[in-house]
Amino acid sequence: MAVVIAVDAGTTGVRALAVDESGTVRGWSYREFPQHFPQPGWVEHDAGDIWSAVETTLGELRGSLDADGVPVAAIGITDQRETTVVWDRSTGRPLHRAIVWQDRRTSARCDHLHEAGHLDLVRSTTGLVFDPYFSATKLEWLLTEGGIDGASPDLAFGTVDSWVLWNLTGGADGGVHATDPSNASRTMLWDIRSRQWSPELCELFGVPMSCLPEVRPSSGRFGATADGIPVSGIAGDQQAALFGQACFEPGSAKNTYGTGSFVLMNVGAECPPPVEGLLTTFGWELADGSIAYAYEGAIFVTGAAVQWLRDGLGVIDDAAETAALATSVDASTEGVYVVPAFTGLGSPYWDPYARGTIVGLTRGVGRAHLARAVLESMAFQTRDVVEAMAAASGHAISTLRADGGASANDVLMQLQADQLQVPVVRPQVQETTAIGAAYLAGLAEGVWSSPAEVTAAWRVDAEFTPRATPHQANTAYAGWQRAVERSRGWAT
């Protein structure tokens, strides 16, 4: 039985994962790569480190598959989206460290563009907001402060998927320079309605259109590796997770709990108007021309707050400890709230000047209360986004599909169900980002015949139903909203 390999190039590491026709994971390999923080608020990656991790994980996985006589039908790519890579087509070498989606160096530039009256153009064209999260101001910075020569015919720009694809398909020796609509829609340079690069936005940001990748359907053959394996699917990590969670009907929604959390709701084939506090983004385009748009709520810090408890404060030794700690304090934080706005607040606030805040401390508060408050902050932030989506789309969600590392925490899943007052469902395979990329590639190569087969392969691991009353949930949430107000606008 042939498998499809997904290359998942995430924020802290690369995973290569093999999926067979039944949707079962047949093997995987993972490598972390270094993070660079040259100044406060700046986050960078070495694109060479990312490619090295891709080579290593693919090599290990394919070695084990070959040893078992398992053929590979296709490769799919998913990635950390807005992270900005520039390289020289003639040499294949990166021209600067990649500027990561978490990087905040262009906050002042975003403020200036907003004040200059360009927000309506950006909102109507891209569905995005002015925030340093997105690629355009990062690329503009590279072309000015970063010293990159925008006039060079060899200049190539891409999100991480484009960099991986280019290298997989030959690099400087004929590599394919392309991306898909889900990643293009995160650059702030792509028109999500006309589905092409916007000359007006490229002019606004000083970006030469010659450096941009070709935009092709998310499911379809992009090229092939040196040994002939087709590379046939690309999607940004959150859109890939939406696909991997089989959220094919308008109104269906998922939340991926990773470094940050990302709530996406399928809103169908028609692009909706911009909504305050939410992003409108492209979901995917299949080979048959069918498309999906999505509302997205980007929550910058969730799992990273647990890492902060471990690495920054030494409150825990392992992330798994948070569940036991949270249940040891009789289901109460004693009024403590943690707002993990370490890099500002994303949806629905979009405040790059918010900062992490702890309120409600008393002498009786200990590390268990802090651990529970961090878990609760994940559930509260998700509720912020889901309520905004329901109001904008007219679709009140009936369930939330959860995935990502922190979805393994049963206490968090129960807190989430209590806050949303709907069931939260966790699938058996929680690596839905990689699974979604594999499905997109496999659909293009006939491993799966239709999205209906993807739906049939999706299976439930656990379902969490609300235990708290609406009054209990709303009382806790009101305290969260007060805490958020105290975190906002703190930095100058």
Side-chain angles (χ1 to χ4, degrees), residues 244-277:
Q245 285 274 38
C247 293
F248 301 135
E249 296 300 319
S252 56
K254 69 88 194 174
N255 189 11
T256 299
Y257 298 82
T259 304
S261 287
F262 297 85
V263 185
L264 267 72
M265 173 187 283
N266 185 329
V267 293
E270 297 295 324
C271 184
V275 173
E276 186 69 26

Side-chain angles (χ1 to χ4, degrees), residues 422-437:
V422 300
V424 173
V425 181
R426 183 174 63 206
Q428 287 183 6
V429 179
Q430 294 171 39
E431 295 294 340
T432 54
T433 296
I435 291 286

Side-chain angles (χ1 to χ4, degrees), residues 81-86 99 106 109-110 113 122 126 128-144 157 159 183-190 197-198 201-208 212:
R81 302 191 300 181
E82 300 81 5
T83 294
T84 299
V85 187
V86 288
I99 302 180
T106 62
R109 175 59 173 156
C110 289
L113 289 163
V122 165
T126 69
L128 307 178
V129 297
F130 276 124
D131 191 272
Y133 179 33
F134 305 106
S135 308
T137 56
K138 301 180 194 299
L139 181 54
E140 181 186 51
W141 186 93
L142 288 167
L143 293 168
T144 52
F157 153 76
T159 42
N183 280 289
S185 70
R186 312 299 295 189
T187 62
M188 206 181 281
L189 297 170
W190 195 68
W197 296 112
S198 166
L201 288 173
C202 286
E203 182 178 357
L204 176 64
F205 293 104
V207 173
L212 301 175

